[in-house]
Amino acid sequence: MLDLSAGTYEVADAVGAAMWAQLTRSPVDRDIRGLAQRFGVSPSVVEADFMDFGAAQLAAGRLVEERPHEAPPPILQMQRRRPTALLALKERASAERDLRRGFADAYGKRTQPMADTTTPRADVERLTKIFRSAESLYPAREAPLDCLPRSLALTCFLRAAGWPVQHVIGVALYPFEAHAWVELNGAPLNEGETFLHRFTVIQKA
């Protein structure tokens, strides 16, 4: 269970994983009787344990109560900025500094605002090359294992130039590995698609 707001994850046992699988279904599609048969206990015991498990996850902030007919949060507007190498370098340093202070604020700061997306705009491939060149000057201590600050910085850099890119987080199992990258209209930027196929997307913003 990966908690994006806290930047932590926990491993569930077989019972917890089975309950999580049921929690992802709508209430009418949940198979409590099937869980009871699988683990050899009565349906009443499973139902009680399932309610306790759901309440615990809700209290921990891993689940939220559904609020029907709630309007989506508005996209914050930012002023379009000239996409220079200096700006790219500043964004890279700022992303790493903010992540040290906390994941949630650093993530929201770079995945919520969007500049004016109307044309004219600088070519996105040229901007990606500018970012890559500027980043090569940054003394990243964890390179190449610094995909999170790098991708968040690129997201902010391109959004400030008017490109509606998305920040993506994916995970791979056996062994566990997480990766973050940037996409435009579903196509990855500055990443190889063959490499990304091994990751299951768990978050897009």
Side-chain angles (χ1 to χ4, degrees):
M1 298 179 288
L2 180 63
D3 187 342
L4 292 175
S5 63
T8 60
Y9 74 91
E10 296 182 9
V11 178
D13 59 15
V15 176
M19 288 187 175
W20 265 112
Q22 296 298 322
L23 282 173
T24 60
R25 302 180 181 181
S26 65
V28 295
D29 294 330
R30 290 171 183 165
D31 186 11
I32 299 299
R33 186 170 297 277
L35 279 181
Q37 293 176 350
R38 176 179 173 183
F39 293 103
V41 294
S42 68
S44 60
V45 170
V46 172
E47 187 169 358
D49 289 346
F50 183 76
M51 295 299 293
D52 289 342
F53 180 82
Q57 303 313 311
L58 184 64
R62 300 189 185 99
L63 296 177
V64 294
E65 295 186 75
E66 184 178 6
R67 298 179 182 179
H69 310 299
E70 186 176 89
I75 297 177
L76 302 177
Q77 297 297 317
M78 70 164 74
Q79 184 177 1
R80 188 185 283 192
R81 291 177 288 175
R82 187 165 174 253
T84 64
L86 180 59
L87 177 61
L89 192 59
K90 287 182 178 179
E91 291 291 357
R92 179 63 179 84
S94 175
E96 187 154 328
R97 182 177 61 249
D98 288 351
L99 280 169
R100 291 196 191 103
R101 297 171 180 167
F103 174 83
D105 289 342
Y107 184 77
K109 181 179 177 180
R110 288 163 180 82
T111 59
Q112 293 178 5
M114 178 76 70
D116 179 16
T117 58
T118 58
T119 55
R121 297 175 296 202
D123 180 71
V124 69
E125 291 185 6
R126 185 172 72 84
L127 295 183
T128 303
K129 290 180 181 178
I130 290 175
F131 181 88
R132 191 184 305 124
S133 298
E135 188 192 23
S136 66
L137 302 175
Y138 183 76
R141 297 180 180 179
E142 297 182 2
L145 303 177
D146 56 352
C147 59
L148 184 57
R150 181 175 68 249
S151 57
L152 285 175
L154 180 58
T155 298
C156 192
F157 178 70
L158 293 177
R159 285 190 170 200
W163 288 100
V165 297
Q166 286 187 300
H167 185 268
V168 187
I169 298 176
V171 296
L173 300 178
Y174 310 114
F176 176 81
E177 184 181 359
H179 188 56
W181 65 94
V182 182
E183 291 183 357
L184 177 62
N185 299 325
L189 301 174
N190 207 27
E191 296 278 356
E193 289 193 27
T194 302
F195 170 71
L196 295 179
H197 282 163
R198 57 195 294 256
F199 295 100
T200 298
V201 174
I202 61 170
Q203 175 72 8
K204 274 192 176 185

